[in-house]
Structure formats: C-alpha cells, structure tokens
Amino acid sequence: MGLVTGACFAEFGNNVTCVDKDEKKIGKLNEGHLPIYEPGLDSLVSKNVREGRLHFTTKLKEAVEKALVVFVAVGTPPSSDGSADLSQISQVAQEIAKAMNDYKVIVTKSTVPVGAAAFIKNIIEENKESSCNFSVAANPEFLREGAAISDFMRPDRVVIGCKDEESAAILKDLYRPLYLIETPFVITSPESAEMIKYASNAYLATKVSFINEIANLCDLLGADVHDVAKGMGMDERIGSKFLHPGPGFGGSCFPKDAKALVALGRSVGYEVKIVEAALDVNEMQKSSIIERVRMLLPSLAGKTIAILGLSFKPETDDMRESPAIAIIEQLKLNEVIIRAYDPVAMEVAKSLITDISYCEDEYEAARGSDALLIVTEWNQFRSLDLKRVKKEMRMANIVDLRNVYEPDAVKSYGFNYICIGRN
Ligand code: UGA
C-alpha cells in the first residue's frame, strides 16, 4: 500500500520518497525489483524513478526533513486479543518527531483504530526537538490488492479526516488530479475517517459472510445462489458487488480489520455482534470445505487432490489468511496428497505450506488426482481444457469453490461437480 501510494502520488507529479527500514527491500527497489506482485506497479514505479520523481531510502530523517506531507503506511498487525498492534505506528511517530524541521502534515494511510491520530499527535508533541507546528490527519485507503493502481487513480471517494483548515487544503491539493475527474471527497474528523475505514471493511466482510450463508442454505433447499445474488443485487439499496460466495474471505485486511473492530468495541464495553458473527461464519465456511470434498470422495486417506489457486484472491501473490492454507492443512490432516498450482503465489506459498507438490501448470496439478479443487478464481482457470483435465485425472471430480463454471457444462464432460450454493 505504501509503494502503490508513493508511486501514484509521483505519477500525479509530486516528488516522493518512500522510506523503509528494511535495507534489503530498499536495495531491491533501487535496483528496480518490486517486493510484491501487483499488476501495473512495475511500470509505474520504473517510469517515475526514471523521471526523477520517485526515490527509495532507509534514511527517514532526510526524507522527512524535505517533505511537507508524511504518509504513514507501516503495518498494524493484530495483537493476541485481535486489537491493532500500534507499536510500528508509535516507533515511526517518534522518528518523525525527531526529524521535524518545519511545518508538516503527518497522515495515516495505515488502517488504524479510532483515536490513532490523537495518539500520534501526543507522541510527536512529546518527542519533537524543534518548535515547529504540525497537523495530524487520517486518510484511509480503499485499495484492493490486484486492482490497487486503478483504485487509487479512480476511487469511489477520498476520505480526509483532519482538525484544521491548513492540512485539509494541503491534502485536497495533493489529490487535485482526482478533483478533475469529479471524485467525491469526504472531509471529516480524524476519528470519523478512521471509523469509515473499519466500518467499510467490516461491512464488506459481513456481506461476503452473508452470501456464503445464503449459498449454504441454497444448497440445502434447492435454490441457485447465482440467481439469488442477481435478484438481490438489482435492488440498488443492496448492490450487486461482494455477493459472490466462496471458501470464505481472506487477505491481510478483512479478517484483521473485522477482528480489530470487535476489539475496539470491546475496549469501550460494546459487543459488535454482527461483525463477530461474520467472523464466525467465515471460519465455519473455511472448515466446511472438506465436507464438500467428502461428498465426492467419502474416504480421503491416500487420495490425491489438485489445488488450483493459492493466493487469497487472483492478481496477487499475497497468501495472508488465504483460505487455501486452511483447506490444504485440513486435507493433509486427512492424509490427502496435494498437487498445487498458482500462477504467481507459489514462491510465497512454499515458505508457508510444505509437504505438498508444487506443479508447473494446472494440467500437471490435475495429473493422477482424484479430485480437482478450484480455490482461487484466476482467469486462466475459467476456461480450462476440460477434456484434457479429465484425461489427466484418475477420477473425474471437480470442486469449484469460486463457482467459475456452469454446473451442467462441466457435468456434460462426465465430471462429478460440486460448487457453492448451486448444487
Ligand atoms: C479489501 C477492500 O476491498 C479494500 O477496499 C481495502 O482497501 C483493502 O481490503 C484494505 O483494507 O487494504 P482486498 O483485501 O485486497 O481489499 O480484497 P477484496 O477484493 O476486498 O477481497 C477480500 C476477500 O473477500 C477475498 O478473500 C475475496 O475472495 C473475498 N470475496 C470478495 C468473496 O469471497 N466474495 C466476494 O463477493 C468478494
């Protein structure tokens, strides 16, 4: 998120320095290598480096000294009780304080709990060594992995939370190119901006859990969740997005942010029941996948299963909280032999999931398997050569956890086919 934000602001014509204390990461970036897979980021970074607007360094003090606006994009990982761990925020705020040489706007891009702007303000006040003024603002991001650059360049809205006119004007100016395309702006308090971010992610996660429950009910009652989602989504009050059932939501944001919102509620004596339920349903959804597999393969021990897709969603190599991890762990516990393939996440996956075979492509993964599970909806899995897949497999079983195929079409090739909410 930091790299995308930096590259996009540079693309808007600003002079941007991205700072990280990880020397290896900065070294790689300076050699032109990206630490993550994100479509379009490579060319955007290299273009802006070439044109002299984008720089990488480990020297925070020098970068802060020459900046007017400092975006904080450090991690806010979950603590053991689910609340956001603010230690990186606290550390970076102390370092920024020591580098203050002039008026600056310090802005949180990281997802931070309500009250974080005030927390940062106190740290800077206590640690700054000069008398210069500063503002602290909250400017949450709504970028989706895999579509982060277009989300930055064409957002649904920009949320700016600040307490003074000066910082609001500076941030609005920074986003001026988006004014030109009439992007709506929400200017509010830092507390409300921080809450908008948590509420948005928790709401979307709840929507996914909701449709997953409806899909499970559809399977039990003989309805088709695709038609149900279509019929619901046409109501503008509901909207058609995020009504796609699957193996449960994953990624670095929904699980973490939903848990953090629940913890935030708990910290003020409030139980956020809907979000807690969304998290519970998500765990249930992930762990129920094995039952779907058992519908086709009642006895799992010694069977070979092909897994297509490992990342938590397509167009990313991010494996954080990917449903594939939980599904593979369960299959391994049931003595299943796993043959996996993912177009970009295999290198990352290898450090997280061991004792499985990583294959060259989807057909090699299918070879000799008793069932094939589509776990992530990469485009290349949407039009598999099903005749070839069937030839490669030992038994013709497909479990489509992303509903990418029409059940009747797959069955016409002689497959047994199970999906989610259309059975
Ligand atoms: C999410 C939000 O969508 C972004 O707006 C936000 O900026 C980001 O978190 C963040 O906080 O940084 P992201 O985690 O990249 O973005 O992925 P999503 O596209 O939102 O998907 C999250 C999970 O929900 C994935 O596992 C996906 O497979 C699942 N999902 C999504 C479904 O199962 N069904 C759907 O209909 C939609």
Side-chain angles (χ1 to χ4, degrees):
M1 180 264 289
L3 187 56
V4 170
T5 303
C8 289
F9 276 134
E11 179 68 12
F12 284 174
N14 300 289
N15 214 330
V16 179
T17 309
C18 296
V19 185
D20 200 294
K21 63 178 185 179
D22 183 340
E23 287 182 11
K24 235 167 97 188
K25 196 182 272 182
I26 293 298
K28 278 193 161 183
L29 281 162
N30 276 324
E31 286 164 12
H33 303 298
L34 294 200
I36 51 159
Y37 175 85
E38 178 65 39
L41 187 56
D42 216 337
S43 55
L44 198 69
V45 167
S46 54
K47 173 176 177 248
N48 282 282
V49 167
R50 208 171 44 242
E51 291 172 3
R53 289 186 299 269
L54 184 60
H55 314 270
F56 302 102
T57 183
T58 53
K59 298 192 175 93
L60 181 141
K61 190 164 188 294
E62 284 174 20
V64 170
E65 275 173 358
K66 58 183 187 195
L68 169 63
V69 185
V70 181
F71 283 97
V72 174
V74 296
T76 51
S79 314
S80 52
D81 65 352
S83 63
D85 173 354
L86 293 185
S87 57
Q88 293 180 46
I89 293 276
S90 156
Q91 196 187 335
V92 85
Q94 289 175 42
E95 288 184 45
I96 292 168
K98 297 207 172 95
M100 296 282 284
N101 60 339
D102 208 344
Y103 173 77
K104 317 242 171 244
V105 187
I106 293 121
V107 193
T108 48
K109 266 281 172 203
S110 312
T111 301
V112 285
V114 179
F119 173 75
I120 292 171
K121 188 162 184 270
N122 283 342
I123 294 178
I124 295 181
E125 250 153 22
E126 278 167 17
N127 290 276
K128 76 183 164 86
E129 290 160 2
S130 69
S131 59
C132 40
N133 282 334
F134 67 97
S135 307
V136 179
N139 173 219
E141 55 88 18
F142 302 99
L143 314 176
R144 288 162 305 162
E145 289 184 30
I149 292 166
S150 60
D151 282 352
F152 192 99
M153 297 292 182
R154 283 175 293 281
D156 288 344
R157 77 300 206 189
V158 171
V159 174
I160 296 175
C162 51
K163 289 225 186 302
D164 57 273
E165 300 274 320
E166 191 172 3
S167 59
I170 290 170
L171 287 175
K172 276 205 258 176
D173 192 41
L174 205 51
Y175 280 108
R176 200 158 26 124
L178 299 183
Y179 261 90
L180 303 178
I181 55 167
E182 296 182 359
T183 303
F185 278 62
V186 179
I187 312 288
T188 180
S189 66
E191 290 78 9
S192 302
E194 290 157 351
M195 184 56 108
I196 287 170
K197 170 69 188 189
Y198 275 114
S200 302
N201 270 2
Y203 185 80
L204 290 171
T206 304
K207 207 171 172 189
V208 173
S209 274
F210 183 86
I211 199 67
N212 281 340
E213 285 220 294
I214 295 296
N216 297 341
L217 260 182
C218 283
D219 275 341
L220 294 170
L221 297 171
D224 180 334
V225 74
H226 268 204
D227 293 346
V228 173
K230 197 168 160 193
M232 286 171 68
M234 282 173 181
D235 184 330
E236 282 180 13
R237 294 169 303 174
I238 297 174
S240 59
K241 292 184 179 153
F242 279 69
L243 284 182
H244 202 88
F249 57 76
S252 65
C253 306
F254 281 7
K256 168 178 86 79
D257 294 350
K259 281 180 203 151
L261 186 60
V262 169
L264 201 57
R266 207 178 297 127
S267 74
V268 287
Y270 189 84
E271 208 182 329
V272 195
K273 285 187 186 170
I274 288 182
V275 182
E276 275 182 25
L279 284 161
D280 288 347
V281 168
N282 200 48
E283 286 311 308
M284 187 182 81
Q285 191 71 2
K286 285 191 280 183
S287 53
S288 72
I289 298 305
I290 195 151
E291 297 314 322
R292 289 176 198 270
V293 180
R294 279 208 180 93
M295 286 178 190
L296 298 183
L297 287 178
S299 129
L300 287 172
K303 295 285 191 309
T304 299
I305 290 188
I307 301 283
L308 299 193
L310 295 167
S311 54
F312 82 98
K313 62 184 269 190
E315 300 302 333
T316 177
D317 59 354
D318 198 340
M319 288 289 300
R320 285 176 286 180
E321 302 264 348
S322 173
I325 300 175
I327 293 167
I328 292 175
E329 283 313 319
Q330 280 199 356
L331 291 171
K332 276 166 61 180
L333 280 176
N334 282 274
E335 296 169 46
V336 170
I337 301 152
I338 307 282
R339 297 173 64 78
Y341 170 69
D342 186 287
V344 304
M346 291 210 288
E347 277 317 303
V348 181
K350 279 176 189 168
S351 59
L352 297 169
I353 310 172
T354 52
D355 303 326
I356 67 171
S357 301
Y358 288 94
C359 301
E360 284 292 311
D361 61 28
E362 43 280 76
Y363 301 100
E364 194 197 320
R367 197 160 301 152
S369 64
D370 299 293
L372 179 135
L373 259 67
I374 299 171
V375 181
T376 315
E377 68 279 34
W378 285 92
N379 275 339
Q380 69 191 70
F381 303 153
R382 291 179 187 272
S383 50
L384 293 171
D385 177 347
L386 290 177
K387 263 192 197 154
R388 186 172 161 202
V389 169
K390 190 162 175 246
K391 255 193 211 147
E392 296 282 6
M393 293 179 73
R394 186 158 58 194
M395 289 171 72
N397 291 315
I398 291 186
V399 183
D400 177 1
L401 300 178
R402 299 288 182 171
N403 290 0
V404 296
Y405 285 101
E406 277 304 316
D408 289 342
V410 181
K411 286 177 192 164
S412 72
Y413 284 87
F415 282 100
N416 300 310
Y417 175 85
I418 293 257
C419 56
I420 304 219
R422 311 187 73 193
N423 298 300

